Amino acid sequence: MAFSADELRVLRRALANALHPAPLPDEDVRDALRLALSVDEAVREAGRLRAFLLDDLARYREALPGSLAGYLDLLEDALDGGYDPQADDLAALRALRGHPAAARLLTRCQVLAERSVRARLARVSQATASAPAASRARLLALPGGRAAEEPRPKPPTPAPSERPVPKPSEVFPPRRRPVPPPPPEERVAG
């Protein structure tokens, strides 16, 4: 990204104000906002361009081997722009390693892919190294955490002078079934 001379002056004033805060004139505020909007638009445009180039790279990869020259050029440009080669790129280059430029790019991509994997593993190991303390603190509030290790207070035993609480069967005796009426033959007429 390149700044014009006017944009650099605005940036310089904004940085000077950040170092030594003072009230800014309205014109400086408007200039800073315009510069911020321009930078945001440039970042969005760079993202759109990157997405387009990666889609283009995928189309060329799918059209291999007929698009060999275009694919190799696009891949090299993408690698120069910070692209991490994907598994599909490595597989395509392995299939084309008979071509000298493809073999050279395969070697470069393997080195970059290995670096990328090592960096991801390092980030994961750093995250897991700091995670046990944090996860242990979070588990304290869950049943079965440290609270399970601490002795639980025993329920108070009733004092001998206190009357024990009756069981439900003592308070509510079982219901008696009603006695059925005698059969009609046993009835006495009278």
Side-chain angles (χ1 to χ4, degrees), residues 40-55:
D40 288 344
E41 179 59 31
V43 168
R44 282 192 298 273
E45 185 61 31
R48 285 191 294 267
L49 179 61
R50 181 174 172 80
F52 172 77
L53 291 175
L54 294 180
D55 287 344

Side-chain angles (χ1 to χ4, degrees), residues 87-108:
D88 292 340
D89 296 313
L90 294 172
L93 289 172
R94 282 187 193 107
L96 301 168
R97 73 179 123 206
H99 190 278
R104 182 179 46 79
L105 268 178
L106 175 61
T107 304
R108 181 178 174 194

Side-chain angles (χ1 to χ4, degrees), residues 96-158:
L96 301 168
R97 73 179 123 206
H99 190 278
R104 182 179 46 79
L105 268 178
L106 175 61
T107 304
R108 181 178 174 194
C109 286
Q110 286 173 331
V111 169
L112 290 173
E114 184 176 334
R115 260 190 228 149
S116 175
V117 168
R118 287 182 189 275
R120 278 184 276 168
L121 289 175
R123 284 192 303 268
V124 168
S125 65
Q126 286 175 352
T128 56
S130 64
S135 65
R136 189 176 11 211
R138 279 185 271 133
L139 289 177
L140 291 177
L142 295 176
R146 185 179 288 171
E149 297 171 8
E150 296 173 358
R152 293 184 182 169
K154 295 183 179 179
T157 56

Side-chain angles (χ1 to χ4, degrees), residues 12-39:
R12 188 177 302 126
R13 283 190 306 242
L15 290 174
N17 189 45
L19 291 174
H20 305 288
L24 286 174
D26 290 342
E27 184 63 31
D28 286 351
V29 171
R30 282 192 292 275
D31 289 343
L33 287 174
R34 272 194 301 269
L35 179 62
L37 291 173
S38 296
V39 169

Side-chain angles (χ1 to χ4, degrees), residues 62-77:
E62 290 170 6
L64 286 173
S67 62
L68 177 66
Y71 173 71
L72 295 178
D73 289 340
L74 283 174
L75 181 59
E76 194 159 5
D77 289 344

